Amino acid sequence: MPVRPRYPVEAVVLALAFALAHMQSPLYYSNQNQYFLHGLASGGLGHLSQDWLANTTDPTPVFSALVAVMYQYLGEWSFQAMYFLLLMGYFLSMRWLISAISWVPQSLTFRLVWAAAFIATHAAILRVASVQIFGVDYPWFFHAGVAGQYVLGPGLQPSTFGVLLIAGLAAFANRRSVLAAFLVAAACGFHATYLLAAASLLLGFLVVMLWTNANAGPNAFRALLAASAIMAPVAAYTLFTFASADDPAAFAEGQRVLAYVRIPHHTVISRWFDEVAGLQLAWVVMGLLVLGRSRILPTLLITAAIGLILTAVQYRHDSPTLALAFPWRISIVLVPVATAVIMARLAAQVPDSRIAAWLALAVVAILAAGGAWVTASGAGYRTGEDEAPLYDFIRSQSGPNDVYLLPVRIPAVGTGRGSMSASFTPPPRPKPGSNLIPVDLQRFRLHSGAAIFADFKSVPYRDVEVLEWLRRMKQVEAWYAKDWTAAERLQELRAEGITHVITPADKPLVAIYLHEIYSDPAYIVYHIR
């Protein structure tokens, strides 16, 4: 049995410091604008229940139900409180995992030095410094996966429950096999795209259990049963809701639009595999080598092999459906685990001394204070602050039947990493030919509580709804590109239920049916007479 030191107060204090050092974005940021929509509409925020997207098929119903309950009974502060707890859970899971490695010292010096090193790889203050000095958020790549995917992002969202994958791996390292299977399966309950990663980890658990212990059959069966109780319903919901082929042509086109129009920075290997991704893979290999003989090593090797094989298949056959299964998503576990293990190996080289322990504790305190400063100063996850007056006006004036038309467009697919909304680099603004997703007006729904016609950031996942989203986006582009005085324009807007039109202040609109009701230095709002 691995040695598991019990220092609960120390562990909680260090986890608190980690959560402070990491920090989180203000509500609502980036992906939260999509994944909170169904829950907040159900919870009664503004007039979101009238929004078209809020009435499409929900890809994350458990998360949405959680959001609705928390909003109704606790308020919005609870979203950030829950993410804070998940940050603590992430740190405690990594600490528990490291404690199960045979060569890890159990001294106070080691624990504090490892905590300081591990927190430093996630610390907001160092990420801000990296962007200021180099223009790139380099620390981000020590705990994010490839293809712009991650466990810990700006704030609470379904993918954040990938913390349960790491907790499950830690439980397995400490020979809590049934608990491990339950935890990795529970991650799928919040985000179905974890199904492949969870299944790979579960397979690794079962192989190790049966290979190392001839009498492990009953325990392996219990682990499989615990995982299946969660994963089977999630898989069934996903299959029959989003993968039904009532119209094979619509399904194929919907998959193509999602993979190659909406999220190619997550799905197209040629877009995300670059020098940085190659270095991250090398980092994973180093972590596995440093890990040495460990109960979790075969599991990590199996999951990595599955990911690599399926990635190679995707590269060879270029299937939108396989791309949307994200075979490379297991990297969101492999990269931070490698970081934790490598930091442990480095910390193990530090001589056990009171001076080293106090210095490490001082570093932890500085990083925690730095995270608090980044939060207070707004130096972290930045957005277009010039939108705030617009949201205040819409929130005070909009009614249940109002639908706003926003000046949004489909960015050029292009090449490169695409929009890295989880890093601390400055937010992208609209530029002709850019492959980045602009942050402009992403927050409109959740900050104003008003319904809109469509935007690029938030998208449905069911095939027919994806095609309707694409139609709406193309219609928006056509409207803003043409003459608003055209005879058919008013009829087209009314047919779509649009009651208000928004445009940048430097691009005013002129039409007899448009009545200006608001303007500021950034935007103008028109009411359709």
Side-chain angles (χ1 to χ4, degrees), residues 88-171:
M88 293 179 63
Y90 172 90
F91 176 85
L92 292 172
S93 296
M94 286 296 191
R95 177 183 160 103
W96 192 25
L97 186 152
I98 292 301
S99 72
I101 301 175
S102 59
W103 48 260
V104 165
Q106 302 302 334
S107 66
L108 175 63
T109 298
F110 168 81
R111 297 195 302 273
L112 292 180
V113 171
W114 175 82
F118 186 68
I119 292 173
T121 61
H122 295 69
I125 188 67
L126 297 183
R127 296 175 64 185
V128 169
S130 177
V131 170
Q132 293 296 320
I133 297 171
F134 305 108
V136 179
D137 184 359
Y138 284 117
W140 162 251
F141 299 110
F142 286 101
H143 54 90
V146 300
Q149 296 174 326
Y150 47 83
V151 171
L152 299 183
L156 182 66
Q157 59 186 26
S159 63
T160 311
F161 288 90
V163 168
L164 296 171
L165 297 176
I166 295 172
L169 191 62

Side-chain angles (χ1 to χ4, degrees), residues 272-477:
W272 58 257
F273 189 78
D274 56 10
E275 294 84 356
V276 173
L279 290 173
Q280 286 180 291
L281 294 181
W283 185 253
V284 169
V285 172
M286 185 186 304
L288 295 177
L289 292 175
V290 168
L291 183 60
R293 299 186 64 176
S294 167
R295 180 175 168 82
I296 63 171
L297 179 60
T299 296
L300 294 176
L301 290 174
I302 290 171
T303 56
I306 292 173
L308 285 172
I309 292 171
L310 291 179
T311 299
V313 171
Q314 169 59 19
Y315 183 79
R316 177 68 176 82
H317 296 284
D318 194 22
S319 164
T321 302
L322 180 55
L324 292 170
F326 306 114
W328 39 85
R329 192 156 201 153
I330 191 60
S331 63
I332 66 168
V333 173
L334 297 174
V335 173
V337 167
T339 296
V341 171
I342 292 172
M343 294 303 106
R345 178 61 78 178
L346 294 175
Q349 309 309 310
V350 177
D352 187 8
S353 70
R354 183 173 298 181
I355 293 177
W358 278 107
L359 286 175
L361 190 60
V363 170
V364 169
I366 291 170
L367 295 176
W373 174 82
V374 172
T375 300
S377 66
Y381 299 107
R382 289 170 286 175
T383 57
E385 295 304 323
D386 54 357
E387 300 168 5
L390 172 67
Y391 298 148
D392 291 340
F393 172 78
I394 300 298
R395 188 165 50 248
S396 66
Q397 297 293 323
S398 65
N401 298 317
D402 292 343
V403 177
Y404 290 80
L405 183 68
L406 307 185
V408 293
R409 54 180 291 275
I410 300 175
V413 173
T415 59
R417 284 186 167 271
S419 184
M420 296 296 291
S421 59
S423 76
F424 278 14
T425 52
R429 309 305 294 264
K431 294 180 181 179
S434 173
N435 64 2
L436 301 180
I437 301 174
V439 298
D440 300 71
L441 301 174
Q442 284 185 9
R443 303 174 294 158
F444 189 96
R445 285 185 176 101
L446 303 192
H447 279 260
S448 70
I452 68 173
F453 183 64
D455 76 332
F456 185 79
K457 179 64 177 180
S458 302
V459 61
Y461 282 85
R462 193 173 184 180
D463 50 12
V464 293
E465 294 165 347
V466 171
L467 299 183
E468 170 60 14
W469 167 82
L470 183 63
R471 182 197 71 81
R472 287 174 175 243
M473 285 298 303
K474 290 181 176 180
Q475 181 65 76
V476 171
E477 289 185 332

